[in-house]
Amino acid sequence: MGGTSPCASCKLLRRRCSKECIFAPYFPSDDPRKFAIVHKVFGASNVSKMLQELGVHQRADAVSSLVYEANARVRDPVYGCVGAISYLQNQVSQLQMQLAVAQAEILCIQMQQQEPTITTQVDQDQKSLLLSVNNNYETLPHYLNFPSSSSSSSNVFHDPHEPLKRESFWA
């Protein structure tokens, strides 16, 4: 900056800090680590070019972003900020899922407190159908007849009105 103490970038690069130094307003001499990490990741020349292309009112935000990205790159050289953002998005998703489960539990508890316990009984016809042992396949609903991939080796037929037949797997 032309005064007694050069900015952090000029100190690190071991050069004289002029009044026109583009780094001086954003990398003060009392925080040398800030420029050191940005220089390590992006290079002083690239940072200088970026700052020169921006308007003066945008430079502070750009430096802040560069410092953040440089710190993220040092912590995670492959993904950088994207890794941190992805981690936080996953954390938000997990917390949203936990919130939904908690809200569902609250709703269930509220419903149990509002209404007396209702016991549901399975229809006797359905119960007997499910528990039947007498192999009366004609009573099964037609949607249980799945289409077969090969008609010769399948034990399920296409016709919903035809009873199911067992075939040997070894035939």
Side-chain angles (χ1 to χ4, degrees):
M1 289 179 42
T4 57
S5 180
C7 68
S9 63
C10 292
K11 245 187 212 179
L12 184 74
L13 299 173
R14 296 182 181 170
R15 63 182 185 190
R16 179 170 287 204
C17 192
S18 67
K19 289 184 180 183
E20 299 86 35
C21 179
I22 196 161
F23 297 120
Y26 313 106
F27 299 104
S29 61
D30 60 345
D31 193 5
R33 185 184 172 281
K34 186 176 173 182
F35 180 76
I37 199 162
V38 170
H39 172 60
K40 180 180 179 181
V41 174
F42 298 106
S45 176
N46 290 330
V47 174
S48 174
K49 288 175 189 175
M50 282 188 253
L51 292 177
Q52 287 173 350
E53 289 178 7
L54 294 174
V56 176
H57 64 282
Q58 295 176 320
R59 289 180 183 172
D61 290 336
V63 168
S64 176
S65 295
L66 288 170
V67 170
Y68 183 81
E69 175 65 28
N71 282 318
R73 282 281 166 201
V74 168
R75 276 184 271 128
D76 186 355
V78 175
Y79 295 108
C81 285
V82 175
I85 291 168
S86 178
Y87 172 79
L88 292 173
Q89 284 177 335
N90 286 338
Q91 201 171 23
V92 166
S93 295
Q94 289 174 355
L95 291 172
Q96 286 174 334
M97 182 112 54
Q98 289 176 3
L99 178 62
V101 168
Q103 288 173 336
E105 288 175 358
I106 290 171
L107 186 62
C108 287
I109 290 170
Q110 288 174 345
M111 289 176 63
Q112 287 175 354
Q113 290 175 350
Q114 288 177 356
E115 298 177 6
T117 307
I118 300 173
T119 58
T120 58
Q121 295 180 345
V122 179
D123 186 27
Q124 287 299 325
D125 293 335
Q126 291 176 349
K127 188 175 181 181
S128 63
L129 177 66
L130 293 173
L131 298 176
S132 97
V133 185
N134 64 359
N135 292 334
N136 187 3
Y137 296 112
E138 292 177 13
T139 61
L140 290 174
H142 71 281
Y143 56 83
L144 291 179
N145 294 327
F146 300 104
S148 63
S149 58
S150 67
S151 59
S152 62
S153 64
S154 176
N155 59 356
V156 180
F157 295 95
H158 294 269
D159 187 8
H161 302 292
E162 185 177 326
L164 295 175
K165 296 179 184 177
R166 289 191 183 177
E167 292 182 4
S168 172
F169 288 114
W170 315 114

